[in-house]
Every structure is written in structure tokens, then in C-alpha cells.
Amino acid sequence: MTYISLSLIFSSAGYSQTREEEEERSKNLPLYITISPRKDGTTAKIKRINPKRNNSSSKTTLLPLKRKLKACSSSNFSAILPKFHAPLNQRRPSSLYSSNSFNTQPDITRSNLTTLPNEIISNILNYLDYITIQKLSRTCGRMYLICHDDVLWRRFLYTDFQSVPPPPPPPSEEKALTLNIRKKSNGSCGGISQQLTPSYNLKLYQNHLKLDQRWLTGKVNSRFLQGHEDSVYCLAWISKDVLISGSRDKTLKIWHVPTSKCVRTIEDEHDGSILCMRVDEQQQLLMTGSSDATCTVWSLPDVKPILKLRGHGHNVLGVCIVGDRIVTSSRDHTLRVWDRFTGIEIRQMVGHTASVNAIEPVNRSRVVSASGDSNIKLWDIETGECIRTMDGHQLGLACIKYINGRLYSGGLEGKIKVWDIETGECLNTLVGHAGMIRSIDCLNGKIVSGSYDRTLRVWDTKTGACILSFQSGHSNWIFNVLMSGTRIVSSGQEKRIMILDFSNGLTPLCN
């Protein structure tokens, strides 16, 4: 009997420990989202498999959704700020200065607040989060005016989202609000009736808060662009809403993404599959590389061919522009540097022992390349010298992405490695995919990756955590992924392009 009792005790303890471990593991899981295409072939049904997991992780945001209170040595700040954080179940009177306060003890903070100029109160708001500011705006007419100031929210947009808002619509298109500010016995708020224009930047800020929450919770609309007759190998943005795609069917297609329409098809420029493309930062040039061993340079926005680069002995797999130079990479194991204006080949850069599958510009004189030989090389295009080799991968590489001093690489191992480009040190390894990682893109503290395991994953660049995992949207290998502030776009072997739109119904937005 004793033996049985002890075994029960130990087994229950072991069960408890296992359950705790499982709960901890579940917190580290991404939010899994299934995408089921409907019969029409252009829309899809979205289902979040483990939404409870995301409730706990949403406290750690990719962008600062809540402005944190900053430490301050001034006693005035410590006296004023705590009063702004009122409990939700306590209703404030109509004025901060009302004599009928729910606090019966003398309140020095409110007296101090009454005497502060509007400019100082506006600066204090920099230390508060969105919810607290909205509560404060409801306390009296003066606070409403200060908390709805358009310049204030323009500043918050830039601080929290690094966004500069577009010009607001004409005032005639907006509804004016009438604010009746009742006169108090102490004269703090005068009896005036004022016409107020809704804060355009506040609306922008609210929409960007919702957009960031959707990136965390996977709330998206999904649809497909159909028209290519074979695998879609590469994608690029020509403008905010215009996408261009290259395919094994040897054509380029230009799409207006909001309407899902193909507005133009370009044929007969390449004699082989279109394998890679790149648009320059000024969106004035498009470059396409093909299995016909050539690279075509196109003018934008008219998309007309202006140069043909010939010299590689095999497929052109990567292309980028660096200052006045165009750099291409190929299955012939070389990189080549070309004059941007004449198309004349300037030099070859040799060092890889397998296909050079991807290249990325680092600055106006350097590029980085990734190869099937599992190595990453940093090059000086002016001298052709290999500056550094990074060799942390065990298998061949398929893609790289450089942004803000960090290099992200992926390949046959199914892992993303993060590198310091200046030292060559591997800083982190992101694990989650079960197949080769074919494409990576980065923006606003997020990484999106597409894999031969048919999934898309979104990662946090700061923590390396996988936030979202989109399942079953692609029925075969994924070849290319792009992201913007509002969308993920991906293509693969099944001849169509998938659009994941996080901004549905959110207007206006800065990006």
C-alpha cells in the first residue's frame, strides 16, 4: 500500500511539473493561422488555431503601443503623473478642479495642475500612454482641447510609429464638433461654446494602434492574384499599391493590389524564366534577372527596357543597385559589376564555389552575397576585394536581407541566422521552419520568411520570437515574400500570388 501511495504522489507531482512546462512552452509558440482558399480561387477563409496563446504574448509588442512612464527626479512630475492613472472603476467628476471631488483630503496635485500652462501639460502628456490621455481628455473642456491637439498626435505618430502623416483632408470634408465648456465656480473653465475640428492625427494614431495589434494577433484578410501560367519566382513593389511579378512563364505582370487586377502583362523581353528582380530606392529603375543569363534594366514608372546586361554564363539569380553600379550574381559562381548608365561590365568578383543565390547592398560601395557553398561574403565593389567571409551555416544558402546593420540569412537548414555585418559575428539563430527558407524580408522591427515547408512566419527582430505562423495558404513551395507596413505578399510554385492584408477598414493610414 505504501508503495502505491508514494507512486501516486510522485506521478501527480510529475504531472504537475509537466503541465507547467507545457504551459511555458505554449507561451513561446507562435500564433498558428490557417488560410483555406475558397472555391472562387481569389479569396480565403482565415482561422486562428491557438488564439489564447496570443493573449499572453500580446503584452510584448513589436512597436511601443503604450508609452512607458519615464523616470524623472522632479518632485513636480511625481506629484502630477500618478493622478492621471485613475482606476477604471472610479468615475472622475466633470472637472479636475471641481469642489465635489471623490477625494475628501486636500489635493495639492489638482491645484498644481490648474496653474500649469497648456504647453507644460502638453509636454507631460509625452510621458503617458494612449488610454490615460483619453481618460484625461474627458475630465474637462480644457483637457479635451489639449489632449486632442493635432500637433501633439503628429508628434506621437513620429515617436511611436516613425510615421509622418499625410496632409489632412480639407476641413469642409470633416464634421465639426461643438464643445460646450461649462463655467465652474472657481472660473477655471469659461462658459464658451467652441467649434472643434476632429483631430486627424489622433485618428491616424488610433488606426496605427489597431494595425499593430493586428500584426500581433494575426487578424488579416487574404486574397489571391491569378494570371500567371507557371510558378511565380519574384516580386517587387513599384509603388505603394502597385506590385510587379516575374514568372517561369517568361512574363512580367503588373498588379493593382487594392483591386486585385492585373493592369499590364509584358512578354518577349526575356527568353527564359524571370528569376529575380529589384527596384531602386527612388523607384526609378527596375532590374530583372533571367535563366537566359541576362539582366534587363527598365525605366519606371513606364516599365520600358533601357539596357540589357550580358556576360554571365548561367542563370542570373540576384541583382541590386549600389550607387552608380548595378551588381548581379549568377549560377556561374560569380558576381559582376556593371555601369548603371552604359551597361558596360566593370569587373567580376570571384570567390564562391557554388551558385551565388542572393545579393544585398550594404552601402554605396559594398554588397553582401549568399551562396550554395554555405558562405556569406562581404565585397567592396570598387576593388572587387572580399572583405569578410561568414561561415556559420552548415548547408547551402538561398536568401539574405540587410537592414540597419543586421544581416539575416536563410537556406537549406530551415534556420534564420542574424549577423553583425561589421564584425561578422552571428548574434542569433531563429528556429521554426521545417524546410528550406527561400525568402526573407524585414520592416519595422519584423521579419517575414517563406519556406519550402509551405508556411510564412513573422518574427520579432528584437527577441527573435516567432509571432505568427501562416499555414496552408500555399499548396507548394514558397519562392518569394515581401512585406509593407500593412501587407505580406508571397508567391510560389502554384502560379498565384497571396496577399495578406492587415489594414482592411483602417483609413486613413500613414503607410
Side-chain angles (χ1 to χ4, degrees), residues 67-70 72 77 81 123-129:
R67 186 179 286 97
K68 304 299 181 182
L69 287 173
K70 299 177 182 178
C72 184
F77 277 91
L81 294 179
N123 286 332
I124 290 173
L125 297 185
N126 290 327
Y127 293 83
L128 304 182
D129 59 67

Side-chain angles (χ1 to χ4, degrees), residues 13-48:
Y15 171 75
S16 176
Q17 185 178 3
T18 302
R19 183 173 61 185
E20 290 175 0
E21 290 175 352
E22 288 179 354
E23 289 176 355
E24 184 63 28
R25 282 197 299 269
S26 68
K27 292 179 182 179
N28 298 324
L29 288 175
L31 177 61
Y32 290 99
I33 303 164
T34 60
I35 303 170
S36 304
R38 294 189 173 96
K39 291 182 179 179
D40 60 11
T42 60
T43 60
K45 181 180 179 181
I46 305 293
K47 182 179 180 181
R48 290 180 287 181

Side-chain angles (χ1 to χ4, degrees), residues 78 99 115 154 218 281 301 369 373 383 397 418 435 476 478:
S78 62
S99 58
T115 61
R154 184 181 178 91
E281 291 183 356
S369 61
D373 62 13
T383 64
L397 294 169
V418 186
N476 219 312
I478 298 173

Side-chain angles (χ1 to χ4, degrees), residues 378 388-392 418-427:
L378 179 66
R388 182 177 298 110
T389 298
M390 292 164 268
D391 58 359
V418 186
W419 306 83
D420 185 320
I421 197 71
E422 294 301 325
T423 65
E425 177 187 3
C426 181
L427 304 175

Side-chain angles (χ1 to χ4, degrees), residues 106-388:
D107 193 345
I108 279 217
T109 300
R110 298 191 180 193
S111 300
N112 288 342
L113 189 59
T114 307
T115 61
L116 291 176
N118 289 358
E119 292 79 5
I120 294 180
I121 296 175
S122 179
N123 286 332
I124 290 173
L125 297 185
N126 290 327
Y127 293 83
L128 304 182
D129 59 67
Y130 166 78
I131 295 175
T132 305
I133 294 174
Q134 291 304 299
K135 289 179 184 177
L136 183 62
S137 73
R138 295 191 291 270
T139 57
C140 79
R142 183 186 176 207
M143 288 301 154
Y144 184 93
L145 289 171
I146 297 172
C147 293
H148 284 73
D149 177 60
D150 221 39
V151 175
L152 174 76
W153 289 102
R154 184 181 178 91
R155 185 167 70 242
F156 287 171
L157 271 168
Y158 183 79
T159 301
D160 289 356
F161 302 107
Q162 292 75 52
S163 299
V164 177
S172 60
E173 296 181 8
E174 296 183 344
K175 295 180 180 179
L177 296 179
T178 300
L179 175 65
N180 295 310
I181 304 178
R182 292 178 296 174
K183 186 175 182 179
K184 301 298 173 182
S185 58
N186 61 3
S188 56
C189 290
I192 58 174
S193 181
Q194 183 175 355
Q195 292 290 321
L196 292 178
T197 300
S199 173
Y200 180 77
N201 290 326
L202 172 57
K203 181 62 176 177
L204 279 171
Y205 191 92
Q206 291 168 338
N207 284 342
H208 278 276
L209 279 178
K210 293 176 183 177
L211 180 63
D212 266 27
Q213 286 293 342
R214 290 182 180 184
W215 277 100
L216 289 170
T217 60
K219 185 178 180 182
V220 297
N221 278 11
S222 178
R223 62 186 186 278
F224 298 91
L225 309 181
Q226 300 194 53
H228 279 294
E229 297 178 359
D230 213 323
S231 303
V232 182
Y233 285 131
C234 50
L235 304 164
W237 293 108
I238 294 180
S239 64
K240 175 185 173 183
D241 292 323
V242 180
L243 182 76
I244 188 165
S245 58
S247 170
R248 190 181 179 189
D249 63 15
K250 306 178 185 179
T251 69
L252 294 168
K253 287 186 179 290
I254 302 173
W255 309 84
H256 184 248
V257 175
T259 60
S260 302
K261 291 183 178 179
C262 177
V263 297
R264 185 180 170 191
T265 299
I266 302 172
E267 301 176 315
D268 302 327
E269 176 60 31
H270 284 291
D271 295 328
S273 303
I274 301 174
L275 303 176
C276 61
M277 62 174 55
R278 181 79 62 123
V279 173
D280 72 329
E281 291 183 356
Q282 292 75 33
Q283 295 183 329
Q284 297 176 343
L285 292 178
L286 165 71
M287 294 151 286
T288 57
S290 171
S291 60
D292 63 12
T294 69
C295 176
T296 300
V297 182
W298 310 73
S299 60
L300 292 177
D302 53 0
V303 197
K304 292 183 177 179
I306 55 177
L307 285 175
K308 178 76 80 171
L309 310 182
R310 303 179 187 273
H312 279 294
H314 219 305
N315 301 353
V316 177
L317 303 176
V319 59
C320 68
I321 190 164
V322 183
D324 293 336
R325 302 288 186 258
I326 294 172
V327 184
T328 56
S329 66
S330 172
R331 193 175 174 182
D332 64 11
H333 305 184
T334 71
L335 291 87
R336 297 181 187 237
V337 182
W338 314 77
D339 186 281
R340 169 181 174 174
F341 303 104
T342 65
I344 296 174
E345 182 180 331
I346 298 173
R347 67 178 47 86
Q348 296 184 33
M349 297 188 291
V350 180
H352 285 294
T353 58
S355 300
V356 186
N357 296 319
I359 51 175
E360 274 285 300
V362 174
N363 54 37
R364 294 186 65 85
S365 63
R366 294 181 177 183
V367 296
V368 63
S369 61
S371 170
D373 62 13
S374 77
N375 290 327
I376 300 169
K377 290 182 179 291
L378 179 66
W379 304 86
D380 185 323
I381 65 167
E382 299 300 330
T383 64
E385 176 191 2
C386 177
I387 301 169
R388 182 177 298 110

Side-chain angles (χ1 to χ4, degrees), residues 233 275 398-400 410-411 435-440 449-452 477-481:
Y233 285 131
L275 303 176
C399 56
I400 48 175
M436 182 175 80
I437 298 173
R438 177 64 184 270
S439 183
I440 299 172
S449 56
S451 170
Y452 277 13
W477 292 347
I478 298 173
F479 291 142
N480 202 202
V481 293

